[in-house]
Amino acid sequence: MSFKKEIDEILEARKSDYTLSKPIIVSIVLGVIAEFIIPILAPFFGILAFVFFYRRRIAIARMPCPRCKNPFGTKSNIVLGVGTSECETCKLSIYAKEL
Ligand SMILES: [Zn+2]
């Protein structure tokens, strides 16, 4: 049995962790505009950009492991990163595409 497809999806999602998604870009642009028009609202858009960034990171960390179906990165409520190179539960390596 091969987990290649699922592992590749996790690797692809992790690559996008630091890229700017459309909602993040929009939040930053609105924040810059607000700086000129309603400066008191500018920090709100900064927070919004962070929320979008963090929610995506959680989604990546919680992608299911193809072998044990538990979240591959972390089950924790406090997500600091997208996870290590092994499944948190069954230790399936992200580099082991054939098993
Ligand atoms: Zn697993």
Side-chain angles (χ1 to χ4, degrees):
M1 192 178 168
S2 167
F3 300 123
K4 187 175 186 311
K5 190 174 158 281
E6 290 88 346
I7 297 268
D8 279 346
E9 277 169 19
I10 294 172
L11 285 170
E12 271 312 302
R14 285 184 176 190
K15 260 186 247 165
S16 74
D17 186 41
Y18 282 100
T19 60
L20 294 173
S21 69
K22 212 172 260 176
I24 296 172
I25 294 168
V26 169
S27 303
I28 293 168
V29 170
L30 289 176
V32 171
I33 295 169
E35 193 75 54
F36 290 101
I37 306 168
I38 331 160
I40 198 156
L41 281 183
F44 167 78
F45 289 106
I47 293 164
L48 197 64
F50 179 77
V51 168
F52 283 124
F53 168 79
Y54 196 64
R55 281 179 49 163
R56 187 178 55 175
R57 167 164 288 184
I58 291 171
I60 296 168
R62 299 240 171 105
M63 286 174 81
C65 168
R67 184 160 73 184
C68 70
K69 307 299 173 199
N70 283 299
F72 197 93
T74 180
K75 283 178 285 199
S76 166
N77 287 321
I78 301 150
V79 176
L80 299 176
V82 291
T84 65
S85 59
E86 302 185 319
C87 168
E88 192 191 51
T89 310
C90 72
K91 305 298 173 202
L92 173 69
S93 168
I94 204 147
Y95 306 109
K97 296 191 177 182
E98 305 284 335
L99 268 169

